[in-house]
Each structure stands twice: as structure tokens, then as C-alpha cells.
């Protein structure tokens, strides 16, 4: 395996310009998958054995659109918001607090509104318009308290930037997505959203997540698409992880090296209601580090974070975690594999 392939990865991870990058997590994940495929092809072509290269893509980006939480209204009265450069408008009809509301979308031309569609939005969930309101435009009505949105297909994150508009005085906000034109993007299958308490799918079902009240960072897990994503008011990061691996993402690197050398990482282990203690992370260089448990103990999934010290001299080759070990309440020791 040639060194320049690792150099490509290193440049992607630690030498990207900042802080004015826009939210393009999907692009980062796509690039990571391309590099992973190239690594596998190189290993096969060279006839050498190698560790399976997992998802190591890391996306760093600027403030998330719609990052401010909108106040929840009393659920009475009607509200309207103009969207897409004032060419369309969304109106939510009056409803009782916590009850469904009628949504109407209009085209706007010279101040005149023409009704295009109407449907019912339900509180606490993301409700999609029955059809695209314009070519390549997906409109959803989401809870007012939602602060970030991630549009996904069955294959992963769809490259698009959400544009949220408050529907003041209601329990809702209008969010539009410009769908990518490439055929590989996949059809939207879910809208993952976060608020100040955690992450949810479009039906309002909670996803495994943990909130850092100090930084306001929310890290959540999507096991269906093998994604682990962190979102915070001023940006976010995330990666996919390979099948058969403990969910994890590397979020710190030794920039002295041209190799991919992780210094810190976040893991999500399947504790299934057990409390994990004595959590340890093993590394391929023979070292081990203590992991800190995040969130409440006794959850189905337990979020962990670890950091390793920077060595005085730059190490040779890649440095990455290989396993997470933990002990349950009965004293049984568990080992969770980490792949990349």
C-alpha cells in the first residue's frame, strides 16, 4: 500500500481550511468511502494482507443552518413564512396546543399567492409535503424546538443544506432541502433532527444520543445507516463505521505525522441496560487508554470518549483503536471490536 494514499486521507482530515466551511457532512463521508475503496483495491492488487479499512472520515464545518432553537408557540392562531427567495410561502392554520395543524403551501408572484398543496402536520414529528413543491425541493414541517436537521437516504447522508424558517407563535417551523441532482444521492428516507434533549428520527422516535450540557454538543447514533454524528451550535462532525465494528469516530489527530494517527475518539458500545465500568481502549501500537463514560449509566448504548498522550517522537505508521473493553455489574469482562 503506497504512502500517498494515506497522505490524501491526512490532508482531508487535518489540513482542510477553517472556520468558514459550510455544512457538508455528506461530502466528507463520500470522500472517506472513496478512499476506503481505493485502499481495498490497492491491497487486493498488491496481493498483501491488510486490516480492513473502516470509515475514518471526519467532517469539520462551520455553523449549522437553522442552528438556533425556535421558541415553541402556544399552538393557537395562524402563521406564515416565505421561503425559497420569497417565491413560495408556507402557512400553518390555527390549532390547539399539541394538536395537528393544516399546512398550506403557495407560490408567490408579484405578491399574489396561488395554492399548490395542503396537508396536515402533526406535533412532535417531521411531516413531509406530499410531493416536491418545486423541482428538486423537499419541504417539511418540523417541531419549533428542533435546531438541526440531517437528511438521509438508505445509503447514508444526502448532501444538502437545510433552510429553516420559523412559523412564529406556533409549534412548528418550515424547513426546505435542495435535493442533489446526482443519481447516486438516493431518495430521502428520513430526516434526523435534534433539540436540546437529544436526537430523533422524523417519526419522533429517539435515537441513541448523549448531550454535553457544557458545550451543547449532541452526539447521536444511527445504527441503520452506521453513522455516528456530533452536532453543536457552532458546527459538527461525523463519520460512518464499517459493518461488524463498534460504532466510533476519531476526532483528534497528530498533525506532526503524514500518517493517520488518532489522538482521541468517541465510541458507542452496546451495554443493553448494563452499567459499564473500567472501560479501556486498546490501540494497534500496543498502548491502552482509559475511556470516560458519557451520559446516564444503564442505557442500551453507552457513549465513551478517550484520549491518548502525544508521544515525544512521531510514531511510524497509522495509529488507531482496535478494541474497547469494559466490565458489567457481575464482573464479566466484555471486548468490543473496533474496525476501520
Amino acid at each position: 500500500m503506497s504512502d500517498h494514499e494515506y497522505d490524501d486521507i491526512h490532508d482531508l482530515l487535518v489540513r482542510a481550511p477553517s472556520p468558514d466551511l459550510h455544512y457538508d457532512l455528506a461530502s466528507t463521508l463520500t470522500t472517506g468511502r472513496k478512499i476506503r475503496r481505493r485502499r481495498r483495491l490497492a491491497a487486493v492488487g498488491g496481493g498483501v494482507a491488510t486490516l480492513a479499512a473502516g470509515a475514518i472520515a471526519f467532517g469539520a464545518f462551520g455553523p449549522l443552518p437553522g442552528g438556533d432553537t425556535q421558541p415553541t408557540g402556544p399552538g393557537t392562531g395562524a402563521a406564515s413564512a416565505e421561503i425559497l427567495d420569497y417565491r413560495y410561502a408556507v402557512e400553518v392554520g390555527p390549532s390547539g396546543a399539541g394538536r395537528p395543524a393544516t399546512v398550506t403551501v403557495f407560490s408567490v408572484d408579484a405578491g399574489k399567492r396561488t395554492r399548490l398543496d395542503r396537508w396536515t402536520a402533526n406535533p412532535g414529528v417531521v411531516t413531509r409535503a406530499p410531493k416536491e413543491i418545486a423541482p428538486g425541493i423537499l419541504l417539511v414541517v418540523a417541531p419549533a424546538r428542533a435546531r438541526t436537521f440531517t437528511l438521509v437516504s438508505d445509503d447514508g447522508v444526502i448532501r444538502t443544506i437545510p433552510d429553516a424558517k420559523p412559523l412564529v407563535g406556533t409549534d412548528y417551523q418550515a424547513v426546505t432541502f435542495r435535493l442533489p441532482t446526482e443519481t447516486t444521492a438516493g431518495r430521502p428516507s428520513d430526516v434526523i433532527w435534534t433539540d436540546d434533549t437529544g436526537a430523533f428520527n422524523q417519526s419522533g422516535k429517539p435515537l441513541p444520543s448523549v448531550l454535553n450540557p457544557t458545550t451543547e454538543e449532541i452526539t447521536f447514533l444511527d445504527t441503520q445507516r452506521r453513522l455516528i454524528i456530533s452536532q453543536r451550535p457552532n458546527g459538527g462532525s461525523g463519520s460512518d463505521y464499517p459493518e461488524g465494528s463498534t460504532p466510533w469516530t476519531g476526532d483528534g489527530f497528530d498533525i506532526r505525522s503524514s500518517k493517520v494517527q488518532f489522538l482521541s475518539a468517541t465510541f458507542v458500545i452496546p451495554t443493553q441496560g448494563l452499567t459499564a465500568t473500567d472501560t479501556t481502549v486498546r490501540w494497534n501500537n500496543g498502548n491502552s487508554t482509559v475511556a470516560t463514560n458519557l451520559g446516564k449509566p444503564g442505557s442500551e448504548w453507552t457513549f465513551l470518549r478517550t484520549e491518548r498522550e502525544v508521544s515525544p517522537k512521531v510514531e511510524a505508521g497509522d495509529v488507531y483503536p482496535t478494541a474497547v473493553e469494559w466490565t458489567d455489574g457481575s464482573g464479566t469482562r466484555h471486548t468490543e471490536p473496533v474496525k476501520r
Side-chain angles (χ1 to χ4, degrees):
M1 189 177 301
S2 62
D3 289 341
H4 77 271
E5 292 172 330
Y6 289 102
D7 293 341
D8 289 346
I9 302 172
H10 186 272
D11 291 342
L12 170 68
L13 299 179
V14 301
R15 296 176 185 168
S18 61
D20 295 324
L21 295 179
H22 65 277
Y23 176 63
D24 201 354
L25 173 60
S27 176
T28 306
L29 297 183
T30 300
T31 303
R33 292 189 185 99
K34 289 179 179 177
I35 293 172
R36 183 167 71 249
R37 285 194 296 268
R38 189 166 71 238
R39 279 181 163 188
R40 287 173 175 164
L41 289 173
V44 174
V48 296
T50 182
L51 290 172
I56 59 173
F58 179 85
F61 37 83
L64 294 172
D68 295 330
T69 302
Q70 304 297 340
T72 299
T76 60
S80 178
E82 293 189 330
I83 58 176
L84 301 174
D85 300 324
Y86 307 99
R87 293 180 290 114
Y88 298 87
V90 179
E91 181 179 278
V92 173
S95 66
R99 302 191 62 177
T102 300
V103 180
T104 308
V105 61
F106 304 87
S107 62
V108 181
D109 186 13
K112 180 182 177 181
R113 293 187 174 187
T114 302
R115 194 178 84 178
L116 299 178
D117 209 346
R118 175 175 287 176
W119 70 95
T120 299
N122 294 304
V125 304
V126 171
T127 308
R128 295 197 222 176
K131 58 187 178 183
E132 294 180 3
I133 63 172
I137 300 296
L138 173 64
L139 168 66
V140 304
V141 175
R145 69 180 189 274
R147 68 179 191 178
T148 67
F149 303 90
T150 304
L151 186 65
V152 296
S153 70
D154 290 338
D155 298 323
V157 177
I158 296 178
R159 186 189 307 178
T160 181
I161 300 176
D163 185 13
K165 301 293 183 183
L167 293 163
V168 180
T170 76
D171 295 331
Y172 304 96
Q173 60 180 309
V175 187
T176 53
F177 300 87
R178 296 182 183 271
L179 301 178
T181 56
E182 59 264 30
T183 57
T184 58
R187 296 183 60 83
S189 59
D190 206 346
V191 180
I192 300 174
W193 56 282
T194 68
D195 63 9
D196 292 333
T197 65
F200 309 84
N201 66 12
Q202 66 184 15
S203 299
K205 180 181 178 180
L207 299 179
S209 63
V210 64
L211 170 66
N212 185 328
T214 301
T215 62
E216 297 184 2
E217 179 182 54
I218 293 177
T219 302
F220 66 85
L221 177 67
D222 181 355
T223 57
Q224 180 180 345
R225 301 168 187 86
R226 300 200 306 274
L227 297 172
I228 177 171
I229 297 175
S230 294
Q231 293 185 327
R232 49 192 177 272
N234 64 343
S237 62
S239 70
D240 57 357
Y241 57 91
E243 187 175 3
S245 172
T246 298
W248 75 288
T249 179
D251 46 18
F253 305 91
D254 191 341
I255 61 175
R256 301 173 302 170
S257 174
S258 61
K259 304 299 183 180
V260 179
Q261 299 185 350
F262 293 101
L263 291 176
S264 59
T266 300
F267 306 86
V268 193
I269 59 174
T271 45
Q272 300 179 350
L274 301 176
T275 298
T277 60
D278 191 20
T279 51
T280 303
V281 176
R282 304 295 181 186
W283 299 77
N284 71 312
N285 61 1
N287 294 336
S288 62
T289 54
V290 174
T292 302
N293 293 21
L294 308 174
K296 297 179 179 180
S299 302
E300 180 181 2
W301 295 89
T302 297
F303 289 75
L304 309 171
R305 180 170 175 79
T306 192
E307 296 184 14
R308 67 179 184 89
E309 295 183 0
V310 179
S311 59
K313 295 183 179 180
V314 179
E315 299 185 59
D318 290 1
V319 179
Y320 51 87
T322 58
V324 178
E325 298 177 357
W326 60 282
T327 302
D328 65 26
S330 69
T332 302
R333 193 71 173 163
H334 302 261
T335 300
E336 313 294 344
V338 176
K339 300 179 181 180
R340 70 186 190 107

